[in-house]
Amino acid sequence: MDKIKVGVLGATGMVGQRFVQLLQGHPWFELTEVAASERSFGKRYAEAVGGRWKLSADIPEAARAMVVKECAPNLDCRLVFSALDADVAGPIEQAFAAAGYAVSSNSRNHRMEPDVPLLIPEVNADHLALVPLQKKNRGWKGFIVTNPNCSTIHLVLALKPLQRLGLSEVMVVTMQALSGAGYPGVASLDILDNVVPYIGGEEEKVERETLKLLGALGESSVRNASVKVSAQCNRVNVNDGHTEAVSVRLDAKPGLEDVKQAFRAFNPLRGLGLPSAPSQPIIVREEPDRPQPKMDRMLERGMASVVGRVRPCPVLDYKFVVLGHNTIRGAAGAAMLNAELMKQQGYLD
Amino acid sequence: MDKIKVGVLGATGMVGQRFVQLLQGHPWFELTEVAASERSFGKRYAEAVGGRWKLSADIPEAARAMVVKECAPNLDCRLVFSALDADVAGPIEQAFAAAGYAVSSNSRNHRMEPDVPLLIPEVNADHLALVPLQKKNRGWKGFIVTNPNCSTIHLVLALKPLQRLGLSEVMVVTMQALSGAGYPGVASLDILDNVVPYIGGEEEKVERETLKLLGALGESSVRNASVKVSAQCNRVNVNDGHTEAVSVRLDAKPGLEDVKQAFRAFNPLRGLGLPSAPSQPIIVREEPDRPQPKMDRMLERGMASVVGRVRPCPVLDYKFVVLGHNTIRGAAGAAMLNAELMKQQGYLD
Amino acid sequence: MDKIKVGVLGATGMVGQRFVQLLQGHPWFELTEVAASERSFGKRYAEAVGGRWKLSADIPEAARAMVVKECAPNLDCRLVFSALDADVAGPIEQAFAAAGYAVSSNSRNHRMEPDVPLLIPEVNADHLALVPLQKKNRGWKGFIVTNPNCSTIHLVLALKPLQRLGLSEVMVVTMQALSGAGYPGVASLDILDNVVPYIGGEEEKVERETLKLLGALGESSVRNASVKVSAQCNRVNVNDGHTEAVSVRLDAKPGLEDVKQAFRAFNPLRGLGLPSAPSQPIIVREEPDRPQPKMDRMLERGMASVVGRVRPCPVLDYKFVVLGHNTIRGAAGAAMLNAELMKQQGYLD
Amino acid sequence: MDKIKVGVLGATGMVGQRFVQLLQGHPWFELTEVAASERSFGKRYAEAVGGRWKLSADIPEAARAMVVKECAPNLDCRLVFSALDADVAGPIEQAFAAAGYAVSSNSRNHRMEPDVPLLIPEVNADHLALVPLQKKNRGWKGFIVTNPNCSTIHLVLALKPLQRLGLSEVMVVTMQALSGAGYPGVASLDILDNVVPYIGGEEEKVERETLKLLGALGESSVRNASVKVSAQCNRVNVNDGHTEAVSVRLDAKPGLEDVKQAFRAFNPLRGLGLPSAPSQPIIVREEPDRPQPKMDRMLERGMASVVGRVRPCPVLDYKFVVLGHNTIRGAAGAAMLNAELMKQQGYLD
């Protein structure tokens, strides 16, 4: 099979770098284009990224010499991954979709639009069915599919198996990593020996996106799930990996083992052969002090959500900790898996 | 007035050091004795502490040359502050109380005993009335008064003004500082670039102590408050200052301004003249990203609880962040204020 | 005595904030003006600084409501402290000096000019005599005096007492704090779990400024000292306090105790009554593992250089560690002490 | 070819864990035994290590169920890797050697003994010829080979190519990672927001071992190199990777490009086929701000020394930064490469 040509928009930023890294050796996709802001036009990718490459492995050889293009819909590829900043992503992604490209976006701009799938393949693969509607509504030859915010995705992966146990209320307090703020992002003087109990816009995103992700597909949009969600978001001095303390009300009043079993048994993509899918999307740890970002964020190559400390909650029903990598499963890896699902379901033919 | 002679038990540890520091220049108390474990007997305090002095100001001059004594009830003082480890504190504190000393303890051992006050002067000063009962029950000439765990105290200071607004449910997720684990405590390899979502025994303490602190004094004990409390405790890479994300159900359904006003108006010790009492026990910050441990832990010389981000909660009624210094107001400063209340109420005459 | 009116240029940045803090309650100087860049004109100081106030104590009450002015020589004061960025400091400081103001500058722009004193009062107070020459050369009614770079100052304070022991070669490797880079300065992703072995322009400054500071005053300029200096500068994950590992060749071949005694006996400002002068400019610690930034940076209110681990060097003659606060003695406190010396010597009459 | 059976002594500690990890899938060696202190005897390896496993990848499957043995010479293997603490390593390693085992030790105990090779394969492979002498001297059927201290090894790898340029003086200031102190090692309260300018015994090791490593093999021992070495060792808040600022005197007075070229051309093991040998032992980076531990420690799977900032030194001749992984190339990987050289040279036949 010929590989599908793909481009990366916003290729020089933190999430863009992850896209470039994850595409290295990808069995289905071939990176043919990198695009970024005006400052980088015409430079070699390695030169354009320069000292801003922040991943521990070096820039993939194949990408180093690629010439950085403008983020305009004349790229030689079928699919683009968008790691664009929210202040520019809106019209650019629309232009690509209008011109016939498939857009797998990590940006927040179109997530909440009724005819745009906000997608986690294990959670709501059926929402992809919004794509034909979106193309019709907008007269586009291409389309946009989005993935959720980096905190939301790990929360919702953990919540999905609880939905059939009567999930009705969710309290979550996040302790989020620095890489979630991009680069340069958080100033070192602000976070050394400190916690910042605020991340602009984050709580709203977690509370809102969760409802759409857990919602049911209707004819022309998604009906939000009937779940109450309350989020408190904090920044902590960790490179990668968001840790989230969660409490849930489960109206079916399951036993503790039922809850753990629901996590462990959850694997809706098994057998589909998506290259980036983790063999186990939710890993349940039994040690009293896990998951921890430093130890667990790279499980399943950063594509798993790791759950631990499942125990009764004196106010709601159960509480637990969920942790996951925020720039892999929480961003670039999420958009990659979405694109793989599109391909597997025929949306890239 | 002659100063009251006081001793410190466990004077060489993290909390013991804070006692020695806080007693420097105290208007009512005079440090006359330092006592510690066998390893230190007979040494000068400065030598016994050695490289384990972990406060940024140096050892107070007056304490440097004091000879470290055994933790036995033959010290020349009226009152002892106990910073003993829980594995030895029980019988030692009892021996001191039996021998006629007033014991102001930061250890957990006696906190939950029915005739022992678990005391925060702003919250439940009336619980001191258990002292005569305790002396009678046990045939002691002296007595023991305890202060709560370092996370509990800041939580309960923030909850107390909400009690008359119908407080019925509390969810708290803590992000706790390293100094709470003592010295050497947390290994650097365990916390650099990490969060540890577990602190042994801590969640149980927060859930249990809160009920006694908010409870009503009965004839022979305290009736626990009718409040549901759920705690999740995490260790983060911060020197001092516990940050707590709290959600509360308030059955009186107050408005947002009522809640803030309840915090601001709370000052039950005003006018009592206790030297360590903060002029304002709860400080409400209006900045969107405060309180932060690095910026706010030393407000009111480390004796305040700092509240911020008060806002509605989609699951319960309101959520907010509370932060406070864990070894000052959360430990040594708490026991100091308790002793000052004892003195003011005549228990040290 | 009436206090001398002073202004702060660049008052909203990291060093500007320190100036404002150090002027609180100053016995000789009274803060009458704060000036900053266009963005802040006309705002109240507290509002202009906003969330960028990075010191642990709050903004001094007296400064909060002051209106921020333009950095132009129409301020109501006799003396200005300059914390301006190097890219704008040059012409602004000159304009103030031309207009008759005394300028005590922390900026690097004029440090190496032949008729401008680069001053550390304990080291080269006599270099102040360049001031009349400077005024004459330039036809200015006022003048500029500068203090060295934050790493240089602690190095040179430690080197000065060694000069009469035949100092001829100096090797220094610095481990510098984050606050030295200003705010936002170093990105947290660049320094968490990392060391950055490079600070732009820093090694050149240390190597060059040291020679002028240790040099002898000639008729129209300073003759550089005949000392070879080699510097390697690193950034480490520390809030405040530069740590420097130093080796020196001392041609007089003194004994170890002679070297320590030279440090201890050094106190040229004793008896002058300068308010910001430390009672002991060089503190020698004997513990094997000191000085450490966290423990020692605030000795003498941040105005001392703390020396430790003095021992023979197998390549040169002796090696030692010197540490000091980089935004107090290394910046704002340095300029403050310089201004106090100017006043004491009659340059502000 | 049958794999050679190997055991790990001190298998549960930080370096022991690295041995177990590096042996996973090794083409020449097969892990057949893990041994540790009494506390662990008879337990499964996974259970014995428990929460003390500190590497980011999980315990290798093959090792999990191995039963931990006593560190006594009745293990089923030909070669043992020793990660024993220095306070017990001496007699245990001797007992193994006497009993006929080859011992590749990371412990410091025997490093400086005249008939024991202190070995870095790229630097002094010929020193292995001490083995027959050692066996004869001591009447042993086996033998001991040691690798240097974690700071020394990266320093000496960088110095070796400079030896033929007339290396005569070396000044080194290290900034060492936490993992070098083992687990629990450095207390978090001691290193957060801090630098500790002291590591017990480290400077002596660097100064002494360097001379033996660069020395010439004589008939019955190694003649120390005629080089002066001065070391200053600091602990910084970094997980893995020692950074070292080095200055050298080179009597041949080479040009800058000669020095860089000497680093780049250095590859004495090329063609030998040792499985753990890096393809390039010294990597020279040209970026102004590299090497950095976070970015460069894992180059060549942690087996390279990364050099950067090569430039003239005003006091000696050249200065540069060298960085390397301290528990891989600096410890377990060093002993592994040593064992591979022994095998290749016939010492394990």
Side-chain angles (χ1 to χ4, degrees):
Chain A
M1 157 181 110
D2 279 351
K3 289 191 182 177
I4 295 168
K5 293 179 178 178
V6 304
V8 174
L9 309 181
T12 57
M14 291 286 293
V15 173
Q17 293 174 24
R18 279 284 181 204
F19 277 123
V20 169
Q21 187 182 59
L22 294 174
L23 285 164
Q24 187 178 20
H26 194 284
W28 294 359
F29 301 138
E30 180 188 0
L31 179 65
T32 55
E33 299 274 21
V34 288
S37 64
E38 201 168 348
R39 198 181 49 170
S40 303
F41 294 172
K43 295 183 184 163
R44 301 285 169 183
Y45 182 65
E47 179 200 359
V49 174
R52 300 169 72 95
W53 182 263
K54 293 296 160 195
L55 305 182
S56 56
D58 269 349
I59 304 179
E61 222 22 73
R64 294 188 67 84
M66 294 180 72
V67 174
V68 179
K69 303 282 182 64
E70 192 184 349
C71 291
N74 53 8
L75 301 181
D76 176 26
C77 57
R78 168 75 186 90
L79 164 74
V80 290
F81 291 104
S82 168
L84 292 167
D85 279 348
D87 53 354
V88 300
I92 294 178
E93 294 181 356
Q94 291 170 24
F96 274 89
Y101 294 84
V103 179
S104 183
S105 173
N106 180 58
S107 300
R108 70 164 186 264
N109 306 58
H110 300 96
R111 285 180 192 156
M112 300 308 295
E113 294 178 10
D115 58 358
V116 174
L118 176 61
L119 186 68
I120 304 174
E122 292 94 335
V123 169
N124 61 343
D126 60 321
H127 292 197
L128 255 189
L130 289 170
V131 165
L133 178 70
Q134 180 193 138
K135 295 171 80 165
K136 188 176 151 212
N137 282 350
R138 305 179 182 225
W140 287 348
K141 288 182 284 176
F143 58 91
I144 298 173
V145 171
T146 64
N147 60 264
N149 165 276
C150 51
S151 293
T152 310
I153 196 164
H154 292 288
L155 175 66
V156 172
L157 272 164
L159 294 179
K160 184 63 188 178
L162 306 181
Q163 208 170 5
R164 60 171 188 76
L165 300 176
L167 180 76
S168 60
E169 293 180 358
V170 178
M171 306 271 304
V172 59
V173 176
T174 68
M175 292 162 278
Q176 299 186 215
L178 302 170
S179 57
Y183 181 82
V186 181
S188 53
L189 285 168
D190 282 337
I191 200 67
L192 173 62
D193 187 20
N194 207 12
V195 167
V196 179
Y198 175 73
I199 301 174
E202 192 82 358
E203 298 176 353
E204 295 77 0
K205 281 185 239 172
V206 173
E207 295 180 355
R208 209 165 47 207
E209 295 176 8
T210 298
L211 302 187
K212 182 172 180 182
L213 285 157
L214 295 176
L217 183 66
E219 290 238 335
S220 63
S221 69
V222 171
R223 284 189 312 276
N224 276 353
S226 293
V227 176
K228 289 185 194 170
V229 182
S230 177
Q232 302 199 52
C233 294
N234 303 279
R235 186 77 65 193
V236 294
N237 203 5
V238 166
N239 269 304
D240 295 305
H242 290 354
T243 307
E244 312 186 22
V246 185
S247 284
V248 290
R249 186 177 301 284
L250 300 177
D251 293 336
K253 304 302 166 194
L256 177 61
E257 273 311 308
D258 299 330
V259 175
K260 289 189 184 181
Q261 185 51 26
F263 287 134
R264 284 199 203 94
F266 180 73
N267 201 349
L269 300 179
R270 185 183 290 129
L272 285 196
L274 305 188
S276 299
S279 66
Q280 189 72 23
I282 299 177
I283 293 170
V284 179
R285 299 212 70 124
E286 295 290 347
E287 300 93 330
D289 60 352
R290 299 286 279 269
Q292 297 176 13
K294 191 181 194 170
M295 304 300 287
D296 295 309
R297 60 194 168 202
M298 285 308 295
L299 291 177
E300 299 273 2
R301 294 154 297 119
M303 287 299 287
S305 294
V306 187
V307 164
R309 305 204 67 216
V310 189
R311 60 209 192 283
C313 172
V315 172
L316 302 182
D317 291 311
Y318 286 97
K319 48 189 177 184
F320 58 89
V321 177
V322 61
L323 174 143
H325 200 294
N326 54 300
T327 67
I328 302 181
R329 185 57 195 246
M336 191 68 54
L337 190 61
N338 283 355
E340 292 169 5
L341 183 69
M342 295 177 212
K343 155 75 179 136
Q344 191 267 345
Q345 306 241 328
Y347 287 87
L348 301 183
D349 296 345
Chain B
M1 156 182 115
D2 280 352
K3 289 192 183 177
I4 296 169
K5 294 180 177 178
V6 304
V8 174
L9 308 181
T12 58
M14 292 285 293
V15 173
Q17 293 173 25
R18 278 284 182 205
F19 277 123
V20 170
Q21 188 182 58
L22 293 175
L23 285 164
Q24 188 178 18
H26 195 284
W28 294 358
F29 301 140
E30 179 187 0
L31 178 65
T32 55
E33 299 273 21
V34 288
S37 64
E38 201 167 350
R39 202 179 45 170
S40 302
F41 293 172
K43 293 183 186 164
R44 300 286 169 183
Y45 182 66
E47 180 201 358
V49 174
R52 299 168 74 94
W53 182 263
K54 293 295 160 197
L55 305 183
S56 56
D58 270 348
I59 304 179
E61 226 17 76
R64 294 188 66 85
M66 294 181 71
V67 174
V68 179
K69 303 281 182 67
E70 193 184 349
C71 291
N74 52 8
L75 302 181
D76 176 26
C77 57
R78 167 77 186 90
L79 165 73
V80 291
F81 291 105
S82 168
L84 293 167
D85 280 348
D87 52 356
V88 301
I92 293 177
E93 294 181 356
Q94 291 170 24
F96 274 89
Y101 294 84
V103 178
S104 182
S105 172
N106 182 56
S107 301
R108 69 163 186 265
N109 304 59
H110 300 97
R111 284 179 191 155
M112 299 308 294
E113 293 178 12
D115 57 359
V116 174
L118 176 61
L119 186 69
I120 303 174
E122 290 94 337
V123 170
N124 61 343
D126 59 322
H127 292 198
L128 255 190
L130 289 170
V131 164
L133 178 71
Q134 182 193 134
K135 294 171 81 166
K136 188 176 151 213
N137 281 351
R138 305 180 181 222
W140 288 349
K141 288 182 286 177
F143 58 90
I144 298 172
V145 170
T146 64
N147 61 265
N149 166 277
C150 51
S151 293
T152 309
I153 195 163
H154 292 288
L155 175 65
V156 172
L157 272 164
L159 293 179
K160 184 64 189 178
L162 305 181
Q163 207 169 5
R164 60 172 188 77
L165 300 176
L167 180 76
S168 60
E169 293 180 0
V170 179
M171 307 271 306
V172 59
V173 176
T174 69
M175 292 163 278
Q176 300 187 213
L178 302 170
S179 57
Y183 182 83
V186 181
S188 54
L189 285 168
D190 282 337
I191 200 67
L192 173 63
D193 188 18
N194 207 13
V195 167
V196 180
Y198 175 72
I199 300 174
E202 192 81 356
E203 297 175 354
E204 295 78 0
K205 280 186 242 173
V206 173
E207 295 180 354
R208 211 165 43 207
E209 295 175 8
T210 299
L211 303 187
K212 182 172 178 182
L213 285 157
L214 295 176
L217 182 66
E219 289 235 337
S220 62
S221 68
V222 171
R223 284 189 313 275
N224 276 353
S226 292
V227 176
K228 290 186 193 169
V229 181
S230 177
Q232 302 200 51
C233 294
N234 303 279
R235 185 76 65 193
V236 294
N237 203 6
V238 167
N239 269 304
D240 294 304
H242 291 353
T243 307
E244 313 186 21
V246 185
S247 283
V248 290
R249 188 177 299 283
L250 299 177
D251 293 337
K253 304 303 166 196
L256 177 60
E257 273 311 309
D258 299 329
V259 175
K260 289 188 185 181
Q261 184 53 24
F263 287 135
R264 285 200 202 94
F266 180 72
N267 200 350
L269 300 180
R270 185 183 290 129
L272 286 195
L274 305 187
S276 300
S279 66
Q280 189 70 24
I282 299 177
I283 293 170
V284 179
R285 300 211 70 124
E286 295 290 348
E287 300 93 330
D289 60 352
R290 299 286 280 270
Q292 298 176 13
K294 191 181 196 168
M295 303 300 288
D296 296 309
R297 59 194 168 201
M298 286 308 295
L299 291 178
E300 299 272 2
R301 294 154 296 120
M303 288 297 288
S305 294
V306 188
V307 163
R309 304 203 69 216
V310 188
R311 59 210 193 281
C313 172
V315 172
L316 303 183
D317 291 310
Y318 287 96
K319 49 189 176 183
F320 59 89
V321 177
V322 62
L323 172 143
H325 200 293
N326 54 300
T327 68
I328 303 181
R329 184 58 195 245
M336 191 69 53
L337 191 60
N338 282 355
E340 292 169 5
L341 184 68
M342 295 177 212
K343 154 73 179 137
Q344 191 268 344
Q345 306 240 328
Y347 287 89
L348 300 183
D349 296 344
Chain C
M1 157 179 112
D2 279 354
K3 289 193 184 176
I4 295 168
K5 292 180 179 178
V6 304
V8 175
L9 309 181
T12 58
M14 291 286 293
V15 173
Q17 293 173 26
R18 279 283 181 205
F19 278 122
V20 170
Q21 188 182 58
L22 294 174
L23 285 165
Q24 189 178 19
H26 194 284
W28 294 359
F29 301 139
E30 179 187 1
L31 179 65
T32 55
E33 298 275 20
V34 288
S37 65
E38 200 167 350
R39 198 180 49 171
S40 302
F41 293 172
K43 294 183 185 165
R44 301 285 172 185
Y45 182 66
E47 180 200 357
V49 175
R52 300 168 73 94
W53 182 263
K54 294 294 160 197
L55 305 183
S56 55
D58 270 350
I59 304 178
E61 223 20 76
R64 294 187 66 85
M66 294 180 72
V67 175
V68 179
K69 303 280 181 63
E70 193 184 348
C71 292
N74 53 7
L75 301 181
D76 176 25
C77 55
R78 168 77 185 90
L79 165 73
V80 291
F81 291 104
S82 168
L84 292 167
D85 279 347
D87 53 354
V88 301
I92 294 177
E93 294 181 356
Q94 292 169 23
F96 273 89
Y101 293 83
V103 179
S104 182
S105 173
N106 181 58
S107 300
R108 69 165 186 264
N109 305 56
H110 300 96
R111 286 179 191 156
M112 299 309 294
E113 294 178 10
D115 58 357
V116 174
L118 176 61
L119 186 68
I120 304 174
E122 291 93 336
V123 169
N124 61 341
D126 59 322
H127 293 198
L128 256 190
L130 289 169
V131 164
L133 178 71
Q134 180 193 138
K135 294 171 79 165
K136 187 176 151 212
N137 282 351
R138 305 179 182 224
W140 288 348
K141 289 182 285 176
F143 58 90
I144 298 174
V145 170
T146 63
N147 60 265
N149 165 277
C150 51
S151 293
T152 309
I153 195 164
H154 292 288
L155 175 65
V156 172
L157 272 164
L159 294 179
K160 183 64 188 176
L162 305 181
Q163 208 169 4
R164 60 170 188 79
L165 300 176
L167 180 75
S168 60
E169 293 181 358
V170 179
M171 307 271 306
V172 59
V173 175
T174 68
M175 292 162 278
Q176 300 186 213
L178 302 170
S179 57
Y183 182 82
V186 182
S188 53
L189 284 168
D190 282 337
I191 200 67
L192 174 63
D193 188 18
N194 208 13
V195 167
V196 179
Y198 175 72
I199 300 174
E202 193 81 357
E203 298 176 353
E204 294 78 0
K205 280 185 242 172
V206 173
E207 295 179 355
R208 210 165 44 207
E209 296 176 7
T210 298
L211 303 187
K212 181 171 180 183
L213 285 157
L214 295 177
L217 182 66
E219 291 236 337
S220 63
S221 67
V222 171
R223 285 191 311 276
N224 276 353
S226 292
V227 176
K228 290 185 193 169
V229 182
S230 176
Q232 302 200 51
C233 295
N234 303 279
R235 186 76 66 194
V236 293
N237 203 4
V238 167
N239 269 304
D240 295 305
H242 291 354
T243 307
E244 313 186 22
V246 185
S247 284
V248 289
R249 188 178 300 281
L250 300 177
D251 294 336
K253 305 300 167 195
L256 178 60
E257 273 311 309
D258 299 329
V259 176
K260 289 188 185 181
Q261 185 52 24
F263 287 135
R264 285 199 202 95
F266 181 73
N267 201 349
L269 300 180
R270 185 183 292 130
L272 286 195
L274 305 188
S276 299
S279 65
Q280 188 72 22
I282 299 178
I283 294 171
V284 179
R285 300 212 69 125
E286 294 290 348
E287 301 93 329
D289 60 351
R290 300 287 277 271
Q292 297 177 14
K294 191 181 194 169
M295 304 300 288
D296 295 309
R297 61 194 166 201
M298 286 308 294
L299 291 177
E300 298 272 3
R301 294 154 297 116
M303 287 299 287
S305 294
V306 188
V307 163
R309 305 204 68 218
V310 188
R311 60 207 193 285
C313 171
V315 173
L316 303 183
D317 290 310
Y318 287 96
K319 47 189 176 182
F320 58 88
V321 177
V322 62
L323 173 143
H325 200 294
N326 55 300
T327 67
I328 302 180
R329 184 57 194 247
M336 191 69 53
L337 190 61
N338 283 355
E340 293 168 5
L341 183 69
M342 295 178 213
K343 154 75 180 135
Q344 192 268 342
Q345 307 241 327
Y347 287 89
L348 301 183
D349 295 345
Chain D
M1 153 179 116
D2 278 353
K3 288 191 184 177
I4 295 168
K5 292 179 179 178
V6 305
V8 174
L9 309 181
T12 57
M14 291 287 292
V15 173
Q17 293 172 26
R18 278 285 181 204
F19 277 123
V20 169
Q21 188 183 57
L22 293 175
L23 286 164
Q24 189 178 19
H26 194 283
W28 293 0
F29 300 140
E30 179 188 0
L31 179 66
T32 55
E33 299 274 19
V34 287
S37 64
E38 201 166 349
R39 198 180 51 170
S40 301
F41 294 172
K43 294 183 185 164
R44 300 288 170 181
Y45 182 66
E47 180 200 357
V49 175
R52 300 169 72 94
W53 182 264
K54 293 294 159 196
L55 306 182
S56 57
D58 270 348
I59 304 178
E61 226 17 79
R64 295 188 66 83
M66 294 180 71
V67 174
V68 179
K69 303 280 181 65
E70 192 184 348
C71 291
N74 52 8
L75 301 181
D76 176 26
C77 56
R78 169 75 185 89
L79 166 72
V80 291
F81 291 104
S82 168
L84 292 168
D85 279 347
D87 53 354
V88 300
I92 293 177
E93 294 181 356
Q94 291 170 23
F96 273 89
Y101 293 82
V103 179
S104 182
S105 173
N106 181 58
S107 300
R108 69 163 186 263
N109 305 58
H110 300 96
R111 284 179 192 156
M112 299 309 294
E113 294 179 8
D115 58 358
V116 174
L118 176 62
L119 187 67
I120 303 174
E122 291 93 336
V123 170
N124 61 343
D126 59 323
H127 291 198
L128 254 189
L130 289 170
V131 164
L133 178 71
Q134 180 193 137
K135 294 171 79 165
K136 187 177 152 213
N137 282 352
R138 306 181 182 223
W140 288 348
K141 288 183 286 178
F143 59 90
I144 299 173
V145 171
T146 64
N147 61 265
N149 165 276
C150 51
S151 293
T152 310
I153 195 163
H154 292 288
L155 174 65
V156 172
L157 272 164
L159 294 179
K160 183 64 189 176
L162 306 182
Q163 207 169 5
R164 59 170 189 76
L165 300 177
L167 179 75
S168 60
E169 293 181 357
V170 179
M171 306 272 305
V172 59
V173 175
T174 68
M175 292 162 278
Q176 300 187 213
L178 302 170
S179 57
Y183 183 82
V186 181
S188 54
L189 285 168
D190 281 338
I191 201 65
L192 173 63
D193 188 18
N194 207 12
V195 167
V196 180
Y198 176 72
I199 301 174
E202 193 81 357
E203 297 175 354
E204 294 79 0
K205 281 185 240 172
V206 173
E207 294 179 355
R208 210 165 45 209
E209 295 176 6
T210 297
L211 302 187
K212 182 171 179 182
L213 284 156
L214 294 177
L217 182 66
E219 290 237 336
S220 62
S221 67
V222 171
R223 284 190 311 276
N224 276 354
S226 292
V227 176
K228 290 185 194 170
V229 181
S230 176
Q232 302 199 52
C233 295
N234 302 280
R235 186 77 67 193
V236 293
N237 203 5
V238 167
N239 269 304
D240 294 305
H242 290 353
T243 307
E244 313 185 22
V246 186
S247 283
V248 290
R249 187 178 301 280
L250 300 176
D251 293 337
K253 305 300 166 195
L256 177 60
E257 272 311 309
D258 299 328
V259 176
K260 288 189 185 180
Q261 184 52 24
F263 288 135
R264 284 199 203 93
F266 180 72
N267 200 350
L269 300 181
R270 185 183 290 128
L272 285 195
L274 305 188
S276 299
S279 66
Q280 188 72 22
I282 299 177
I283 294 170
V284 179
R285 300 212 71 124
E286 295 289 347
E287 301 92 330
D289 60 352
R290 300 286 278 269
Q292 298 177 12
K294 191 181 195 168
M295 303 301 286
D296 296 309
R297 61 194 167 202
M298 287 308 294
L299 290 178
E300 298 273 1
R301 294 153 298 117
M303 287 299 287
S305 294
V306 188
V307 164
R309 305 204 69 217
V310 189
R311 61 208 192 285
C313 171
V315 172
L316 303 183
D317 290 311
Y318 287 96
K319 48 189 177 182
F320 57 90
V321 177
V322 61
L323 174 144
H325 200 293
N326 55 301
T327 67
I328 302 181
R329 184 58 194 247
M336 190 69 53
L337 191 61
N338 282 355
E340 292 168 6
L341 183 68
M342 296 178 212
K343 155 73 180 139
Q344 192 268 343
Q345 306 241 328
Y347 287 88
L348 301 183
D349 295 344

